[in-house]
Amino acid sequence: MRITTPALLLLTICHGFSSCAQTNTWNRKQAAVALTYDDALNIHLDQVIPTLDSAGFKGTFYLIGSAAPFTQRIGDWRKAAAKGHELGNHTLYHPCYGKRPGREWVKPDYDLNNYTLQRMTDEIKVNNALLEATDGKKQRTLACPCGDTKVADSSYLYAVKDHFTGIRDATPDANTVNGFGNRTIQWMAPAGNSGAELIAAVQKAMKDHALLVFVFHGVGGEHALNVSAEAHRELLQFLKKNEAQIWVAPFIDIATFMRKP
Ligand SMILES: [Zn+2]
């Protein structure tokens, strides 16, 4: 007769299965960090990806299918994907609400107020096809331009959710669609922050056993929302030094982990 203590039984069941992870651990680490970069910038290919590669980290790049740094450099994005970086969907034309303060840059043709739900979902699916033609992958995550998700009265997230492993967004609709469970998720969209401030956000995530999602745009230029290359490098150095405690991974890997029962 085999005698199994409850502790041994637990060890047996859970050994090797991340589904047994407690909700306050991240792939057996104290915290998780997703390094995400929006809007398909040349500087992501030319500066950010080489910096990530030298540190051994994989980032997530939310690409706009119509943006010149995508259409003119598809081969470079393909190489980035082959190195393990995630190519995420940031829609075909980046539609946002134009009638808001500071949104003068939104062109009327791409004002989300002028969209139909059908047009929005069609464009998101076409962008998925473009990205699949680039990296060969069928699993993908979505980042909503400007965090705007409603066309008329309905959120387009419900219409496209079956095409995505996760939505990188903190809106109530995204939370509902994602079903990530009872986990602590923190966000930082750096704009002019110092390296020390970026590191402080990571230290807070470590203390809170949280996932911290960085939403970068410009890194050393090319975007109004920008951080210096130096601040970004200091963040990566801190992450590297604390790699034993922090799980740094593409958003899709972390989303997959969070969706496991
Ligand atoms: Zn964007």
Side-chain angles (χ1 to χ4, degrees), residues 26-54:
W26 298 89
N27 204 16
R28 301 196 180 89
K29 295 192 181 183
Q30 190 177 338
V33 169
L35 300 165
T36 76
Y37 304 83
D38 287 19
D39 292 358
L41 305 181
N42 288 299
I43 214 156
H44 296 161
L45 287 168
D46 299 331
Q47 304 290 335
V48 173
I49 289 172
T51 310
L52 289 172
D53 287 345
S54 61

Side-chain angles (χ1 to χ4, degrees), residues 38-39 62 64 90 94 96 105 143-147 168 217 223:
D38 287 19
D39 292 358
Y62 285 104
I64 305 163
H90 202 32
H94 201 278
C96 298
W105 53 270
C144 303
C146 306
R168 192 225 55 193
H217 292 78
H223 202 288

Side-chain angles (χ1 to χ4, degrees), residues 78 126-138 140:
R78 183 170 292 134
V126 169
N127 205 42
N128 258 8
L130 273 177
L131 295 173
E132 185 182 339
T134 304
D135 66 12
K137 299 204 165 124
K138 291 201 177 292
R140 208 161 299 283

Side-chain angles (χ1 to χ4, degrees), residues 51-255:
T51 310
L52 289 172
D53 287 345
S54 61
F57 292 133
K58 313 297 178 199
T60 299
F61 296 84
Y62 285 104
L63 301 180
I64 305 163
S66 63
F70 176 70
T71 59
Q72 296 171 2
R73 303 186 65 179
I74 289 176
D76 291 333
W77 291 108
R78 183 170 292 134
K79 281 183 205 151
K83 286 182 198 160
H85 300 290
E86 177 189 3
L87 307 186
N89 190 329
H90 202 32
T91 77
L92 197 52
Y93 296 112
H94 201 278
C96 298
Y97 303 136
K99 296 171 192 68
R100 286 193 173 170
R103 294 281 180 84
E104 295 75 18
W105 53 270
V106 177
K107 297 188 179 111
D109 282 341
Y110 302 119
D111 186 328
L112 194 57
N113 294 111
N114 301 334
Y115 267 58
T116 61
L117 195 58
Q118 184 71 51
R119 179 182 170 192
M120 189 60 184
T121 57
D122 285 350
E123 288 182 5
I124 287 172
K125 288 184 205 168
V126 169
N127 205 42
N128 258 8
L130 273 177
L131 295 173
E132 185 182 339
T134 304
D135 66 12
K137 299 204 165 124
K138 291 201 177 292
Q139 302 297 316
R140 208 161 299 283
T141 63
L142 172 73
C144 303
C146 306
D148 298 342
T149 58
K150 288 211 167 26
V151 180
D153 287 334
S154 38
S155 166
Y156 63 77
L157 295 187
Y158 297 97
V160 299
K161 69 182 173 62
D162 293 342
H163 299 271
F164 294 100
T165 305
I167 315 289
R168 192 225 55 193
D169 204 348
T171 60
D173 285 328
N175 291 338
T176 303
V177 166
N178 279 330
F180 285 155
N182 189 26
R183 287 184 172 273
T184 306
I185 304 177
Q186 297 170 347
W187 300 83
M188 186 176 197
N193 297 91
S194 65
E197 287 169 331
L198 303 181
I199 290 165
V202 177
Q203 287 169 326
K204 177 168 170 42
M206 292 170 80
K207 188 170 119 304
D208 296 343
H209 294 264
L211 160 64
L212 173 60
V213 182
F214 279 107
V215 180
F216 287 105
H217 292 78
V219 177
E222 212 181 322
H223 202 288
L225 296 170
N226 185 57
V227 289
S228 68
E230 185 53 35
H232 180 254
R233 216 172 3 252
E234 286 171 24
L235 168 66
L236 296 193
Q237 281 162 359
F238 178 84
L239 293 173
K240 194 76 200 165
K241 216 165 69 187
N242 293 278
E243 218 171 7
Q245 288 86 45
I246 307 166
W247 182 34
V248 181
F251 185 73
I252 193 164
D253 292 358
I254 299 172

